[in-house]
Amino acid sequence: MTGPLTVALLGGGTVGAQVARLINDSAADFEQRVGAPIHLTAVAVQDTTKPRPGVPAGLITDDAMAVATSGVDIIVEVMGGIEPARSLILAAMAAGSSVVTANKALLAADGASLHAAAAKHGVDLYFEASVAGAIPLLRPLRESLAGDQVIKVMGIVNGTTNYMLSKMDEEGADYDDVFAEAEALGYLEADPSLDVDGHDAAAKAAILAELAFHTKVTLDDVYCEGISKVTAADIRAAQQMGFVIKLLAVAEIKGDNEGVIVRVHPSMVPRDHPLASVRGAFNAVFIEAQSAGQMMFYGRGAGGAPTASAVLGDVISAARNRVTGGRGPGQSTYSNLAVLPIGEAMTRYYVNLDVTDRPGVLATIAGAFSDNGVSIQVVRQDGHGDEAGLLLRTHLASDASLRATVDQLRELDTVKRVVGVMRVEGEAGA
Ligand code: NAP
Ligand code: HSE
């Protein structure tokens, strides 16, 4: 056994309080696992008067910069946001501390500065908790799959929107009702648009894509659509076709390393796809790699204790590195791939139309698809009076062609209303 390793926290909220509790409760086990005792030295917060059960009162301070530069072995950043978190992390690394963070927003906005500083100062930067909470996902991508070529990562990485969409699917509830319910349960972020407009999932998608494809990806590279336009009619149409709607984060390689496409949007997923059975606030990520094939990671994507579990896994890794004198793997972005626009993604669409019910209308509509080189896979027609409801699903086509098709359909006078349009993922061959 070597001398004690010191750990300090920047943040003592939902996640930080659980990290502090577990460091104290599991001290004897951690000492055995690391080969040295771990001592918590400080917890920086904003309001030192708030009660924080499980956090030793004597460790609480509001001087975050003093904590960051105290030269402890490991700084755990669980305060969130871009600043002052970035400055504090950079200061901690300059002072020789390894850093563990759960801060997806900062990593997706400016991970490059953090990785560069970690390399410069010879310290570790671990961030397992930043994507999908408790689920071990980044370490498998960074280490276990380092000898493989990842082709596609596709997942449910925002629990709040998955809870809302599951409720809409199970109960036929409207968006506004499930939003109010998620708010009452405290699921929504302080700024709900981070959840419902897809920005939280987009930050996680950027982090996943960078690790999976060894190339730099930031939040600005991610195409993003949220769930606020998903209607009860979309849910019903999905059910009729044997699908379920999920907010998916998708990162994929196009062609022979032509580039990567990273996107977040509501998608219809076949009910027999493993992601379809992920209900409530759970997360799951499906990875496809050249040699390993397909695999799925499933579990709790949020919450104090689950997220603290991932943070502590990183703390143990960083602590072991201190004991053995090594460093964990750094970020590799050697492949330097282009990030391609959404128009180049190959997807399928579902299109739900109200049309005039008279001879030749179907042919006109089929013509709009054919004009844009889009092949129709399934058509369902349901007549009502002198109008008909048409549900169409396409074969794979470029997103640009599919959009052009929908634009053309909107111009047809036989199309009374475009009721819904959504991408379809997870069908065999897609
Ligand atoms: P939180 O409950 O809001 O806690 C934030 C903590 O940071 C609070 O203790 C706050 O102090 C402190 N803080 C904020 N600004 C500060 C400043 N300028 N100086 C000193 N202390 C400051 O947030 P959280 O839910 O624990 O999330 C922390 C991080 O984990 C975020 O990056 C989040 O994205 C990530 N994360 C959270 C979850 C989750 O389920 N909660 C899941 C995955 C990842 P006060 O307590 O005095 O306000
Ligand atoms: N708002 C996020 C979610 C929290 O709902 O998944 C975890 O990152």
Side-chain angles (χ1 to χ4, degrees), residues 104 129-130 132-133 157-161 187-189 194-195 200 204 281 283 301-303 307:
K104 62 221 160 186
S130 64
V157 291
N158 182 273
T160 304
T161 47
Y187 283 4
L188 285 158
E189 298 266 353
L194 290 173
D195 290 314
D200 170 77
K204 293 165 179 169
N283 283 192
T307 308

Side-chain angles (χ1 to χ4, degrees), residues 160 164 178-180 182-193 195-196:
T160 304
M164 292 169 66
V178 293
F179 181 95
E183 196 166 37
L185 286 166
Y187 283 4
L188 285 158
E189 298 266 353
D191 171 4
S193 117
D195 290 314
V196 297

Side-chain angles (χ1 to χ4, degrees), residues 18 23 44 47 150 186 192 209-210 231 251 262 329 340 351 378 395 398 418 420:
Q18 294 300 318
I23 287 178
D47 178 355
V150 176
E210 184 159 308
T231 62
V262 192
L340 304 174
V351 183
V378 178
H395 282 292
S398 76
V418 177

Side-chain angles (χ1 to χ4, degrees), residues 284-367:
V285 177
F286 195 75
I287 298 180
E288 193 173 339
Q290 223 163 58
S291 305
Q294 299 180 332
M295 63 205 92
M296 192 163 103
F297 300 80
Y298 170 84
R300 292 187 190 281
T307 308
S309 162
V311 168
L312 282 160
D314 283 350
V315 168
I316 299 288
S317 294
R320 283 175 175 155
N321 294 341
R322 290 268 157 167
V323 169
T324 57
R327 230 189 119 215
Q331 193 79 335
S332 93
T333 52
Y334 71 90
S335 56
N336 212 16
L337 295 169
V339 179
L340 304 174
I342 181 73
E344 294 196 32
M346 297 299 288
T347 64
R348 297 166 194 249
Y349 268 30
Y350 127 91
V351 183
N352 186 353
L353 305 172
D354 275 349
V355 300
T356 312
D357 195 3
R358 62 175 152 76
V361 169
L362 200 51
T364 317
I365 284 163

